[in-house]
């Protein structure tokens, strides 16, 4: 199917939202849905002229697709390079991943943002977008049956702390990295997070299958071979 020009897209949107009456309401409704689906298929995930909290969540939901090209090598890609594996092993790594994604889009993005003190407690949000009054909080799910409940409790505490009166923030988006890719639990986890007050969205990222954990002995062997190669060069 040919791509629509800018003028054609504008005209399509105008007709899609034309509310004037029509005798065949069902046909008009189905046509409107088809037009909107066509025009939306290549629409950007975010409106750079007027971004919203929903746009932030939309970008974050696309992160799992981005991991398809994440660097995780079993052997060097070129004769002069070393084996590279961009591992994600803790919450700080997840924060770095989110920073790399959001920093080019939101110029006011800040990390480890100090928020309004609560008595002797001085809370810090992982990532903050002041212009949207939004906190993006990263969590890391490790092995253990109690991890899901723990994450929900932590996010609940974060929302209570970060979104208090006078904090300057009204929205919180939770991003959870599941290191064991327990996808059968994700719907329940997301439902629990979205039930919390102040949580605008929750994104659950699974550790990709190609980023398999390797035995420590093999890891040391690979690291040793890499060091020997550096010495040779």
């Amino acid at each position: 199917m040919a791509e629509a020009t800018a003028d054609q897209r504008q005209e399509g949107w105008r007709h899609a939202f034309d509310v004037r009456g029509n005798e065949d309401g069902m046909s008009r409704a189905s046509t409107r849905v088809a037009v909107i689906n066509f025009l939306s298929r290549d629409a950007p995930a975010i409106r750079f002229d007027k971004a919203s909290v929903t746009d932030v969540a939309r970008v974050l939901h696309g992160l799992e697709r981005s991991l398809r090209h994440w660097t995780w090598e079993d052997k060097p890609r070129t004769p002069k390079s070393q084996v590279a594996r961009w591992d994600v092993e803790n919450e700080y790594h997840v924060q770095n991943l989110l920073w790399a994604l959001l920093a080019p889009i939101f110029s006011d993005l800040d990390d480890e943002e100090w928020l309004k003190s609560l008595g002797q407690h001085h809370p810090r949000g992982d990532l903050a977008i002041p212009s949207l009054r939004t906190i993006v909080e990263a969590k890391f799910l490790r092995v253990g049956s109690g991890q899901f409940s723990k994450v929900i409790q932590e996010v609940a505490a974060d929302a209570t702390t970060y979104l208090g009166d006078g904090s300057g923030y009204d929205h919180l988006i939770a991003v959870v990295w599941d290191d064991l890719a327990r996808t059968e639990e994700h719907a329940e986890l997301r439902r629990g997070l979205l039930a919390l007050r102040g949580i605008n969205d929750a994104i659950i990222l699974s550790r990709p299958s190609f980023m398999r954990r390797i035995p420590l002995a093999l890891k040391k062997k690979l690291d040793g071979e890499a060091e020997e190669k550096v010495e040779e060069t």
Side-chain angles (χ1 to χ4, degrees):
M1 186 178 292
E3 293 294 328
T5 65
D7 289 341
Q8 290 171 335
R9 291 176 63 84
Q10 184 176 1
E11 185 70 7
W13 283 116
R14 187 179 69 79
H15 284 294
F17 289 98
D18 187 349
V19 296
R20 288 176 294 181
N22 188 289
E23 293 182 0
D24 189 356
M26 291 300 296
S27 296
R28 181 173 180 79
S30 60
T31 301
R32 177 179 294 176
V33 170
V35 170
I36 292 174
N37 286 340
F38 174 80
L39 294 174
S40 299
R41 63 176 187 160
D42 59 347
I46 187 169
R47 301 166 298 171
F48 288 96
D49 59 328
K50 190 178 180 181
S52 67
V53 179
T54 301
D55 292 324
V56 178
R58 187 179 296 116
V59 170
L60 292 172
H61 274 292
L63 184 55
E64 194 161 45
R65 178 171 177 264
S66 301
L67 292 173
R68 182 171 178 268
H69 287 284
W70 196 249
T71 296
W72 190 267
E73 299 171 350
D74 292 318
K75 58 183 180 180
R77 294 293 299 272
T78 66
K80 294 186 178 181
S81 64
Q82 302 178 42
V83 173
R85 290 188 170 186
W86 298 352
D87 207 350
V88 178
E89 298 190 274
N90 53 57
E91 189 174 296
Y92 297 104
H93 291 168
V94 180
Q95 291 179 27
N96 293 342
L97 176 60
L98 299 178
W99 176 271
L101 177 67
L102 298 175
I105 302 174
F106 301 99
S107 59
D108 63 336
L109 182 71
D110 198 2
D111 63 325
E112 296 291 334
E113 171 77 355
W114 288 100
L115 304 174
K116 182 181 178 181
S117 297
L118 300 173
Q120 288 82 4
H121 180 47
H122 307 286
R124 286 192 301 178
D126 288 343
L127 297 175
I129 308 175
S131 59
L132 297 179
R133 302 177 66 86
T134 299
I135 296 289
V136 179
E137 194 69 12
K139 298 297 177 184
F140 194 93
L141 271 172
R142 299 186 181 277
V143 64
S145 58
Q147 285 286 299
F148 295 97
S149 176
K150 179 182 177 182
V151 163
I152 293 175
Q153 292 178 44
E154 289 179 353
V155 173
D158 291 339
T160 300
T161 302
Y162 300 158
L163 308 181
D165 293 340
S167 69
Y169 294 91
D170 302 320
H171 315 284
L172 192 149
I173 299 174
V175 180
V176 182
W177 176 279
D178 181 7
D179 206 47
L180 296 182
R182 290 156 288 192
T183 55
E184 72 280 3
E185 300 287 351
H186 290 181
E188 186 69 17
L189 173 60
R190 186 167 187 269
R191 185 160 46 247
L193 292 171
L194 292 177
L196 300 174
R197 184 176 182 180
I199 305 302
N200 286 74
D201 210 335
I203 293 87
I204 318 296
L205 300 172
S206 289
R207 183 182 183 88
S209 59
F210 64 82
M211 289 176 64
R212 59 191 180 281
R213 294 289 188 187
I214 61 175
L216 183 59
L218 178 57
K219 185 177 186 300
K220 289 181 177 179
K221 180 176 182 295
L222 293 174
D223 291 342
E225 292 175 352
E227 291 177 1
E228 291 176 1
K229 186 169 184 178
V230 171
E231 292 175 357
E232 291 175 359
T233 56

